[in-house]
Amino acid sequence: MTASPRCRVMLALLGVAGATCMACAGSVRAASVEVHPAGDTVPENLLRIELRFQQPQRLPFDMRRLTLLDEQGEALENALLDLALPNADGRRITVLMDPGRVKSGAGPNRDAGRALHAGRRVSLRVAADAGDASGAAAVKTWRVTDAVSSRLAPADWRLTTPRARSREALVVDFRDAVSASGEELIAVTDAAGQRLAGTTSLTRGDSVWRFTPSRRWKAGRHRLVVYPEFEDPAGNRPCAAFEEQAQSSTRCEATRRDFDTVTPGHQD
C-alpha cells in the first residue's frame, strides 16, 4: 500500500524517504528498545524520537504500537505523525512529532498548538505485539522544557583532545542533546583529509560524542567534520533553525572544526 496523502505532504515538507504509514503497517513482535532522546528532558518543540531495537523489526513498522501519554496517562491525540522511518536493517526506527504542530505559525500549530508543554511530563509507550508471550511494554518518560529554536553552534562545543601516539577518545561535549542519528553524522579526518577509522558513541543523554580511533593518533592537526544532516531533537541544524522560514529549503554545507592532538608531556 502507498502512503496516505497527509503522509506524502509531510514527507515532502521534511525531505525524507522510506516512510511507512499507519494505514499500511503490519504486526511485529516486541523487542528490547532504547528510546532517544535518552536524557530526562525534551524541549517543547521536540520533532524526532528515535527507537533502537536489539532485534530487527518487521517492516513496515506498526505505528499503533506507539502511544504518547500526558501526565495523567491519557493519550495525546494527533501528536505523532502516522509514519515511521526505518533504517536498512529495521533495528532503528525514527518517528516524528507532527511538524505542522511543532512549527510556529503553521496551520496545525495555530489550530491545536504544540502537543508538549514546558513544565509538564510526557511519556512514550512502546507496546509489545499481541503475539509476544511477555506482553511487556517499554515506557520512556521525560520532563518537558522550553522550546529550543536556535541554530546549532559547533564553534561552542567543548572538545577534549587526545594525546598523540595514544588511542584515547576524542570527546565532544555538545552541551545539549543532539539527535541520536548524529552519532554517525560526524567524522574525524587527518591533516590530508583522510577519514580516520574508529568507533563512536553518544553518552550523557545524547549530549556527548566520543570517537576512539582504530589506530594511535598521529601528532598534528586533525579535523572534526559535521555533516549537513546533523540536527538536534528539535530539528535545528548548524545552518538553520527549524523555526526559520527557509529551513526546509536551505542547503547546508558540512561544518569543520580543526584541533591538534596533545603532545605527551605538554599541556593543550
Side-chain angles (χ1 to χ4, degrees), residues 195-246:
R195 183 169 182 168
L196 302 185
T199 58
T200 64
S201 64
L202 278 176
T203 60
R204 205 183 304 166
D206 302 336
S207 67
V208 172
W209 183 79
R210 298 174 64 88
F211 171 80
T212 303
S214 299
R215 297 184 177 183
R216 297 179 185 273
W217 293 97
K218 293 182 179 180
R221 181 60 50 92
H222 293 76
R223 177 168 287 178
L224 185 72
V225 181
V226 183
Y227 290 103
E229 297 83 3
F230 188 90
E231 295 182 343
D232 68 10
N236 302 308
R237 300 179 293 189
C239 68
F242 184 70
E243 285 290 332
E244 293 182 30
Q245 186 69 26

Side-chain angles (χ1 to χ4, degrees), residues 121-161:
R121 292 190 178 274
V122 65
S123 301
L124 179 73
R125 183 177 186 271
V126 185
D129 179 71
D132 181 14
S134 71
V139 178
K140 172 67 175 175
T141 300
W142 299 282
R143 177 173 55 85
V144 182
T145 60
D146 291 336
V148 178
S149 302
S150 57
R151 300 182 184 188
L152 300 182
D156 294 337
W157 297 346
R158 184 185 299 112
L159 272 60
T160 302
T161 53

Side-chain angles (χ1 to χ4, degrees), residues 74-213:
E74 298 293 330
L76 293 170
E77 300 295 339
N78 302 316
L80 295 173
L81 205 58
D82 59 343
L83 58 85
L85 307 174
N87 73 338
D89 68 5
R91 292 176 184 268
R92 298 186 181 186
I93 308 290
T94 298
V95 295
L96 303 170
M97 303 291 289
D98 185 336
R101 292 188 63 180
V102 172
K103 196 161 191 173
S104 299
N109 177 271
R110 293 195 302 269
D111 294 340
R114 289 175 175 152
L116 307 187
H117 300 281
R120 301 181 185 176
R121 292 190 178 274
V122 65
S123 301
L124 179 73
R125 183 177 186 271
V126 185
D129 179 71
D132 181 14
S134 71
V139 178
K140 172 67 175 175
T141 300
W142 299 282
R143 177 173 55 85
V144 182
T145 60
D146 291 336
V148 178
S149 302
S150 57
R151 300 182 184 188
L152 300 182
D156 294 337
W157 297 346
R158 184 185 299 112
L159 272 60
T160 302
T161 53
R163 292 176 297 175
R165 299 189 291 278
S166 78
R167 290 189 63 243
E168 295 174 343
L170 168 69
V171 180
V172 182
D173 185 348
F174 305 117
R175 301 175 184 268
D176 294 296
V178 299
S179 172
S181 61
E183 178 183 343
E184 300 173 349
L185 294 173
I186 308 180
V188 178
T189 65
D190 60 19
Q194 295 297 311
R195 183 169 182 168
L196 302 185
T199 58
T200 64
S201 64
L202 278 176
T203 60
R204 205 183 304 166
D206 302 336
S207 67
V208 172
W209 183 79
R210 298 174 64 88
F211 171 80
T212 303

